[in-house]
Amino acid sequence: MSSVANACRHVLLTADPAAKIMAARRAAREWRLGRLESRFDCSMPDAPARPDQPVLLPPGHMPKRKGAGSQRNRVNMLHALAHIEFAAIDLAFDLIGRFGEQFPCEFTDDWMRVGADEAMHFALLARRLEQLGSYYGALPAHAGLWEAAEKTKDDVLARLAIVPMVLEARGLDVTPATIDNFTKANDSRSAKILQRIYMDEIRHVSYGTKWFESACRGKDLLTHETWKSLVQSHFRGGLKGPFNDSARSRAGLTTDYYA
């Protein structure tokens, strides 16, 4: 029987988007059915494999995204979101493969579900791009998404603090307005996809908060103070509002953390 670490490594080393979706879904299904051993017997790669497209640019070199009024602008926005979800697949499986041995099996349960969700989100957005006459890879994307993983590769508390509790939580802040913009542009199909992603991301942030607090308890650390210290030392630029306090609270990320 293969190990969970090998399954995660396979996802990370799969470059082709369609194949990565299949690998992520297969890993989550095999884990759920008890066909993967809870063994962490191989290391995760320093960086995931990437397809030839999209061309990756430094974040500061990316063109500014505009509103959803025109189809071109909507395609630009959907492409950017698809790239985020594509990277999120790797972030979920790297979290399991790199740090899962430090936690009970429930940790792997939760993040396998996240990995499968991210694969589904990417598939929905990629298909929507094709319906609008484009495709994933047609536009440049920024290369900064893996930076958070690189900076926190040796510290699970930092990884949980930054990836789900900062980066994904920021999605909770901005997605409602994006959904509203697509709705106003009479693009209900895209709006429904974004609504589905938004609801799933609340759960993803809740997993981050749950396991961050669990790890803090295990180390006898104060959760809010530890989180603030980790964000200050690992997240460049600081937190910027406005914050979606309601969605964050549903995910357990109360204002005690970020106010």
Side-chain angles (χ1 to χ4, degrees):
M1 185 184 293
S2 183
S3 70
V4 65
N6 265 308
C8 291
R9 182 178 172 86
H10 176 64
V11 173
L12 289 159
L13 292 179
T14 300
D16 177 74
K20 189 181 288 287
I21 292 169
M22 292 177 62
R25 289 173 170 170
R26 185 184 307 113
R29 182 177 63 252
E30 295 292 290
W31 173 257
R32 187 179 68 252
L33 295 175
R35 295 173 181 167
L36 293 176
E37 286 191 36
S38 186
R39 285 188 290 109
F40 297 87
D41 52 355
C42 65
S43 62
M44 297 301 104
D46 291 336
R50 285 285 177 257
D52 293 336
Q53 294 180 310
V55 174
L56 298 182
L57 302 175
H61 293 189
M62 288 292 295
K64 296 294 184 182
R65 294 199 297 268
K66 301 178 181 178
S70 70
Q71 180 166 316
R72 180 179 179 181
N73 288 345
R74 294 199 300 277
V75 165
N76 289 344
M77 177 64 72
L78 291 170
H79 192 279
L81 295 172
H83 184 65
I84 290 170
E85 299 297 332
F86 188 71
I89 300 171
D90 290 322
L91 288 169
F93 285 96
D94 184 76
L95 180 61
I96 298 168
R98 192 174 296 274
F99 301 113
E101 194 171 21
Q102 302 177 30
F103 294 90
C105 285
E106 186 186 348
F107 179 89
T108 300
D109 291 341
D110 286 348
W111 295 105
M112 279 289 185
R113 188 176 179 187
V114 171
D117 284 347
E118 307 294 17
M120 180 266 291
H121 296 166
F122 173 76
L124 290 172
L125 290 166
R127 183 169 61 196
R128 185 63 184 140
L129 283 170
E130 291 174 2
Q131 291 170 346
L132 293 171
S134 188
Y135 61 92
Y136 176 65
L139 301 169
H142 72 76
L145 291 170
W146 191 250
E147 267 187 30
E150 292 175 334
K151 290 180 179 178
T152 59
K153 65 181 180 180
D154 298 318
D155 186 345
V156 69
L157 276 173
R159 175 68 64 89
L160 292 166
I162 301 304
V163 175
M165 298 175 72
V166 172
L167 299 180
E168 289 203 71
R170 186 58 183 158
L172 302 184
D173 301 332
V174 302
T175 302
T178 306
I179 294 170
D180 188 50
N181 288 337
F182 275 85
T183 301
K184 289 177 179 176
N186 296 315
D187 189 347
S188 61
R189 287 188 180 183
S190 298
K192 287 178 181 177
I193 292 170
L194 298 183
Q195 181 66 34
R196 170 65 186 272
I197 292 172
Y198 172 68
M199 298 307 296
D200 287 343
E201 297 295 349
I202 292 174
R203 178 165 42 78
H204 299 177
V205 176
S206 78
Y207 290 160
T209 308
K210 164 185 168 182
W211 290 109
F212 178 81
E213 293 179 349
S214 174
C216 283
R217 287 193 299 270
K219 298 175 182 291
D220 200 25
L221 297 172
L222 297 173
T223 54
H224 302 142
E225 289 76 3
T226 301
W227 184 83
K228 290 172 184 175
S229 175
L230 289 167
V231 171
Q232 187 174 29
S233 60
H234 289 83
F235 187 69
R236 193 170 50 196
L239 303 181
K240 296 181 176 64
F243 301 112
N244 185 343
D245 294 335
S246 174
R248 285 169 171 254
S249 179
R250 289 171 64 186
L253 190 62
T254 62
T255 55
D256 293 326
Y257 278 102
Y258 61 87

